[in-house]
Amino acid sequence: MPTLEEQIDITAPGDVVWDHLHQVEDYPRFVGGVREARREGASGIHMDLEGVRGSAHAIDAATEDLRPEETMTWRTVEAPHLSGSVSLLPLDATHTRVQVRMEYDPGEAHDAFGGPKGFAQSSAFERTVRQDLHQFKDLVELAYPAK
C-alpha cells in the first residue's frame, strides 16, 4: 500500500493548530472535495464528498488522539481503506510543523472516487494533500496573525 508523507510549517502555536485540526465543520474549507463534514460520536467523522463527474460519496472515519496536541490518527471505517496520522511538531513559540502521513490503496481510491489510475492516482493524491495543507496553513494563519 503506498504511503504519502507531506509537511508544512505554520505560523501559529501548536495548540492553535491543534484546535483548527479538530474543527471538523471547517474541513470543507481546506480538504479538497469535502462538501460537508460533521462529528459523529466521540471519535467519528462523517464527510460528504464531491465525486468525479458530479457523483457524490460519503466517507466515515474514526479518529484517535494518540498524544493530545501532538498526534492524531484516523482511518476510514469502510472502503476505500485510507488511514493516516497528523503530527504537530513545535518549532518555537509561534511556529508549528504539521506532518501528514497517509496510506491508501490506489485501486480502491480509483474505484471510489474515479480519476486516474496507477502512478497518476498517486500523483493526484500527493498534489491534493499538498494543496490541502497549504489551504489549512492559510486558514490557521488568517485566524492567528503573526505578531
Side-chain angles (χ1 to χ4, degrees), residues 58-110:
I59 286 185
D60 291 309
T63 65
E64 181 180 357
D65 293 340
L66 289 181
R67 293 183 298 272
E69 296 198 17
E70 189 178 321
T71 302
M72 176 183 82
T73 62
W74 60 272
R75 63 174 173 72
T76 55
V77 176
E78 297 176 355
H81 294 99
L82 310 168
S83 63
S85 63
V86 180
S87 297
L88 307 183
L89 305 167
L91 300 175
D92 60 33
T94 58
H95 295 87
T96 304
R97 178 163 293 149
V98 177
Q99 294 181 320
V100 174
R101 184 172 199 271
M102 183 173 146
E103 294 180 0
Y104 63 97
D105 180 303
E108 279 190 28
H110 177 268

